[in-house]
Amino acid sequence: MKFQPFYQRAIERKGSEAAVLARLPQLATAAQLQALGDDRYLSAMTKCVFRAGFVWRIIENKWPGFEEAFSGFVPLYWQQVPPERLEALGNDERIVRNMQKITTVPHNAFMIVEAAEQYGSFGHFLAQWPSNDQVGLLLWLKKNGARLGGASAQYFLRMVGWDGFILSTDVVTALQNHHLIDASPTTQKGLKQVQDVFNRWHEETGLPYAHLSRILSYTLDAR
């Protein structure tokens, strides 16, 4: 199925093409991904981990406290952080005191450091990964990171500006309603079907994957 009908439907829902375009996410260039510090990637990962299953607004409001409590999220430090530092964070009122999520930081810091040693920085690693294999990147993050499966990894990539889709409820519903996928998007089969659909639409339109995803969500989202 071509993407044009979805684009027209999104325009109808939002009232104009300008309204749709104004809401599209900003993307980072390869150079911008490479220039972003590894500490910022660890910060973004941690924010997405803490937002999962929680009120996003609360995490956003407390985030300056997170930055202070985690001393700026320097991966080289956090990959080998002393256990007592993690224990202290479990009582730190500047953050949400969830030890299961706090302990993801050293795991994800180690992942970042490992990638940086091979590619020069985590940003260089992300910049070289093609958007037509987002599923491969999601599986890599799930395998090598902590609590980076599913939506958390997708929102992390969107947060740092990497060009990829997000499987929101509206996006999945639209794909299923038009019989573009017949497997659950939480399975590898379903993810591959999603990737194939977005790859075809990208070739058809030349639009970034993130824009295709957001526009598709607007075919159902009336806000």
Side-chain angles (χ1 to χ4, degrees):
M1 184 174 182
K2 297 291 187 181
F3 188 72
Q4 185 61 28
F6 293 105
Y7 190 63
Q8 290 303 130
R9 179 60 173 164
I11 291 173
E12 292 170 5
R13 299 286 294 208
K14 292 301 178 185
S16 68
E17 185 173 28
V20 171
L21 297 177
R23 290 172 168 84
L24 297 181
Q26 291 189 342
L27 302 174
T29 64
Q32 289 170 329
L33 288 172
Q34 293 165 0
L36 192 64
D38 286 349
D39 60 314
R40 295 301 86 205
Y41 285 111
L42 182 57
S43 174
M45 284 180 192
T46 306
K47 180 181 285 189
C48 289
V49 166
F50 272 87
R51 290 196 319 185
F54 206 75
V55 180
W56 288 16
R57 183 181 67 259
I58 294 176
I59 301 301
E60 288 294 336
N61 290 340
K62 293 180 72 71
W63 200 249
F66 273 83
E67 290 285 348
E68 292 177 1
F70 285 93
S71 304
F73 292 99
V74 178
L76 283 171
Y77 171 77
W78 286 101
Q79 70 162 341
Q80 52 188 3
V81 64
E84 56 269 22
R85 180 73 191 276
L86 293 176
E87 292 173 7
L89 286 167
N91 297 308
D92 195 323
E93 295 183 355
R94 292 174 295 180
I95 68 172
V96 173
R97 291 164 288 176
N98 181 318
M99 281 305 300
Q100 289 184 328
K101 293 186 176 184
I102 289 170
T103 56
T104 66
V105 175
H107 289 285
N108 290 331
F110 179 78
M111 175 184 68
I112 288 173
V113 170
E114 288 281 290
E117 288 178 352
Q118 183 175 355
Y119 292 91
S121 72
F122 194 76
H124 279 78
F125 163 74
L126 279 186
Q128 59 82 42
W129 201 296
S131 293
N132 63 7
D133 183 30
Q134 180 178 347
V135 169
L137 179 54
L138 294 175
L139 293 174
W140 187 93
L141 289 168
K142 181 178 181 180
K143 176 182 178 182
N144 293 281
R147 288 184 174 247
L148 290 176
S152 292
Q154 295 168 32
Y155 282 109
F156 158 69
L157 294 174
R158 177 66 58 82
M159 186 178 291
V160 299
W162 191 86
D163 183 21
F165 53 76
I166 287 181
L167 293 177
S168 66
T169 300
D170 289 331
V171 167
V172 172
T173 299
L175 291 169
Q176 292 174 335
N177 284 351
H178 293 274
H179 307 292
L180 293 168
I181 60 172
D182 59 17
S184 170
T186 61
T187 66
Q188 290 196 31
K189 178 182 177 182
L191 284 172
K192 184 180 184 303
Q193 291 178 344
V194 171
Q195 185 77 70
D196 289 343
V197 170
F198 278 99
N199 286 350
R200 291 197 304 270
W201 284 343
H202 176 70
E203 292 176 3
E204 172 198 340
T205 66
L207 291 173
Y209 289 73
H211 292 184
L212 293 167
S213 172
R214 180 66 63 81
I215 292 167
L216 183 61
S217 74
Y218 289 157
T219 64
L220 294 175
D221 180 4
R223 289 172 294 175

